[in-house]
Amino acid sequence: MSRSFVLKSLKAFANAKKSALSNGSFYMTKRYSGNATSVSDRAAFPGYSGEFTSNLEFIYPENNELIQCYRVMNRKSQVLDPSQDPNFDQETCEKMLRTMITLGKLDTIMYEAQRQGRISFYMPNHGETAAQLGSAYAMNPNDLVFAQYREAGVILWRGLSMLEICDQIFGNSSGTCKGRQMPVHYGSKDLNFVTISSTIATQLPQAVGAAYALKRQQKGLAVITYFGDGGSSEGDTHAAMNFASVFDVPVIFFCRNNGYAISTSVKDQYRGDGIAARGPAYGIVTIRVDGNDLFAVYNATRAARQIAIKESRPVLIEAMTYRLGHHSTSDDSTAYRSVDEINLWEKGDNPMNRFRNYLIRKGILNEEIENELNEKHRKMIMDSIVQSERTKNLKPTEMFIDVFDSPSQTLLKQQNELLEHLKTHKEHYPLDSFEKL
């Protein structure tokens, strides 16, 4: 087919279209800008229906503008735009403060308890309390939570008692997991808080499935699932976000980007504009917030919940924060970051200090009140620890229960074998610390 023939055909088509328009036989017309060279000005592939271009251009991510970080209160505890202030009432502010103080005291005491050999493991929350509490307050208590492992503030906010916290950490018979889980792997059916799993990012696909169920039930509820910058590198994160987007489920992906995962800096963790940049690629509504700003986290999560429910679609929140403590009692973070860096963040952008100074300006907090609260919550934790330590562990045979609705013959056989073994070699086991068989 010659070039002149094609040009003549296109000219004839254009004249026919012009004539038809004057007679009103075309329903509508669209103008497409650009330098497309295809006969059809717009693509119609199954996977793409945008514009064509004759420019051979690649997208260089470093040339794109960075996604901005939403904040309400700066590091000096000043609200930048009064219209963005959520204006928490005094009761809410006091509860926020109490929970922050509790988390701080819990971190210090449990870290020392682990070093004394009284517990096996602990994960501190220092530096990430605003991300936890701001998001917790924004959700409905009936919304499901799929946490990672640094969300103690979320379950405390929902009502888990300090004794229940300590029972779980010490792994005794009164613990919510009956001693079958690692410490800090909290869970509560009554509080709609799904038990934490050690394996990184497995909670994300589970959360998407739960959100799909809520969508079908049409109860006006949502799911929030937490993960870290390290967890974002797991394949489960990709699968979860893709499924959530395709099936339009009401789930909030809340990423606590604290900069270091378990021990790997974000510089070695990923390229590109952080975690938030991935949201639009999945077709997910996305926002980046100052994770050390309690008000910004609350506003963003509250708005995200409305989007998730009213529009039935997933939302990604990337909360930028900094882990002030070690990853866990098994970690020495000075091996991969300097003490000077930690101290700089401790003094310059501690979310607890930011909120404390705000409350002082409001006249809600002073030194005397804070000292009283510190002592009160320290005593509460110590009293709970004493009680938890005195509570015996569940008898060993309980490890075979709750696997199936009714124990299988294989499990019963294993249970009997364990009983015989313990009777024969009881002098080698601390059976006094367990309930009687």
Side-chain angles (χ1 to χ4, degrees):
M1 185 180 295
S2 67
R3 181 173 179 272
S4 60
F5 178 81
V6 173
L7 290 174
K8 288 180 180 178
S9 298
L10 288 175
K11 187 176 181 180
F13 174 77
N15 291 332
K17 181 178 178 181
K18 183 177 180 181
S19 175
L21 281 171
S22 62
N23 295 329
S25 59
F26 273 72
Y27 291 103
M28 63 178 183
T29 61
K30 287 186 178 180
R31 289 186 177 181
Y32 299 106
S33 61
N35 53 356
T37 57
S38 170
V39 172
S40 173
D41 287 330
R42 195 171 185 87
F45 301 108
Y48 176 70
S49 56
E51 300 285 352
F52 284 108
T53 179
S54 58
N55 294 331
L56 180 61
E57 294 180 344
F58 291 87
I59 297 172
Y60 279 77
E62 57 267 29
N63 294 335
N64 293 335
E65 291 186 7
L66 297 179
I67 297 173
Q68 293 184 325
C69 188
Y70 169 71
R71 72 165 17 170
V72 174
M73 180 169 55
N74 64 18
R75 293 174 180 173
K76 296 181 180 180
S77 305
Q78 299 168 331
V79 174
L80 302 174
D81 180 354
S83 69
Q84 295 298 303
D85 190 340
N87 293 310
F88 294 162
D89 58 32
Q90 183 166 337
E91 182 180 356
T92 301
C93 288
E94 290 174 350
K95 183 179 177 181
M96 286 284 185
L97 178 64
R98 289 195 305 270
T99 310
M100 282 188 172
I101 290 174
T102 299
L103 284 170
K105 295 299 177 186
L106 185 67
D107 282 356
T108 301
I109 293 171
M110 287 302 178
Y111 200 89
E112 293 174 354
Q114 194 277 336
R115 291 297 187 253
Q116 295 165 2
R118 296 162 73 182
I119 60 174
S120 61
F121 180 80
Y122 184 75
M123 299 193 74
N125 303 275
H126 191 36
E128 301 183 46
T129 52
Q132 296 178 31
L133 297 179
S135 58
Y137 182 41
M139 301 301 291
N140 186 302
N142 293 317
D143 292 331
L144 270 175
V145 175
F146 284 79
Q148 188 171 13
Y149 42 56
R150 211 181 305 277
E151 281 81 34
V154 177
I155 198 166
L156 274 173
W157 182 266
R158 288 204 165 195
L160 198 69
S161 70
M162 183 49 59
L163 182 58
E164 289 174 307
I165 288 280
C166 292
D167 283 341
Q168 197 287 324
I169 292 173
F170 281 87
N172 62 37
S173 59
S174 297
T176 53
C177 299
K178 302 180 181 179
R180 298 167 180 161
Q181 268 280 19
M182 285 182 65
V184 306
H185 287 48
Y186 312 109
S188 173
K189 185 176 181 180
D190 293 338
L191 300 176
N192 299 302
F193 192 102
V194 179
T195 302
I196 294 169
S197 300
S198 292
T199 314
I200 303 298
T202 55
Q203 74 277 9
L204 272 66
Q206 298 165 6
V208 172
Y212 185 65
L214 289 178
K215 175 182 178 178
R216 290 175 61 88
Q217 293 169 0
Q218 296 184 348
K219 291 185 176 181
L221 298 174
V223 175
I224 186 168
T225 181
Y226 295 86
F227 62 107
D229 46 289
S232 72
S233 296
E234 293 288 336
D236 278 345
T237 305
H238 160 74
M241 290 189 177
N242 194 49
F243 268 80
S245 179
V246 170
F247 290 101
D248 296 316
V249 301
V251 61
I252 299 171
F253 294 102
F254 193 99
C255 177
R256 295 175 292 92
N257 190 338
N258 64 28
Y260 284 99
I262 292 178
S263 59
T264 304
S265 167
V266 291
K267 294 179 181 178
D268 300 317
Q269 185 77 230
Y270 56 74
R271 291 292 183 269
D273 185 16
I275 314 304
R278 305 177 193 179
Y282 286 110
I284 294 177
V285 178
T286 302
I287 189 171
R288 173 178 284 152
V289 303
D290 180 351
N292 292 343
D293 179 353
L294 181 69
F295 298 155
V297 173
Y298 168 78
N299 286 350
T301 309
R302 186 170 181 269
R305 185 180 183 275
Q306 292 298 312
I307 293 171
I309 292 174
K310 292 184 177 180
E311 300 180 27
S312 187
R313 62 186 304 177
V315 183
L316 170 62
I317 298 174
E318 183 183 21
M320 311 307 296
T321 182
Y322 187 87
R323 171 162 54 79
L324 290 172
H326 302 300
H327 174 74
S328 71
T329 50
S330 302
D331 173 47
D332 177 9
S333 64
T334 59
Y336 50 85
R337 59 181 181 174
S338 69
V339 174
D340 289 340
E341 177 185 310
I342 299 171
N343 290 337
L344 181 65
W345 279 90
E346 178 72 56
K347 296 176 183 178
D349 201 10
N350 183 327
M352 174 67 181
N353 292 341
R354 200 190 289 194
F355 185 57
R356 177 195 289 119
N357 292 333
Y358 173 86
L359 295 181
I360 291 173
R361 290 181 179 179
K362 287 284 188 179
I364 297 174
L365 180 65
N366 57 42
E367 185 176 353
E368 181 181 354
I369 294 174
E370 186 172 9
N371 290 337
E372 290 178 359
L373 288 172
N374 281 327
E375 179 56 29
K376 176 183 177 181
H377 287 84
R378 187 197 68 80
K379 186 178 184 303
M380 175 184 66
I381 294 169
M382 294 304 298
D383 289 345
S384 298
I385 286 176
V386 170
Q387 187 171 339
S388 293
E389 283 188 306
R390 290 175 178 173
T391 304
K392 290 185 178 293
N393 297 323
L394 215 60
K395 54 187 178 181
T397 52
E398 286 289 324
M399 74 173 72
F400 300 97
I401 309 301
D402 295 338
V403 180
F404 300 108
D405 181 47
S406 298
S408 66
Q409 291 301 313
T410 302
L411 283 178
L412 292 175
K413 180 183 177 182
Q414 293 175 0
Q415 185 183 58
N416 292 331
E417 289 173 350
L418 175 64
L419 283 170
E420 291 299 320
H421 176 81
L422 293 175
K423 288 178 182 178
T424 306
H425 305 286
K426 59 184 178 182
E427 68 275 11
H428 298 293
Y429 297 94
L431 295 178
D432 290 342
S433 62
F434 290 82
E435 293 179 341
K436 290 184 178 182
L437 292 169

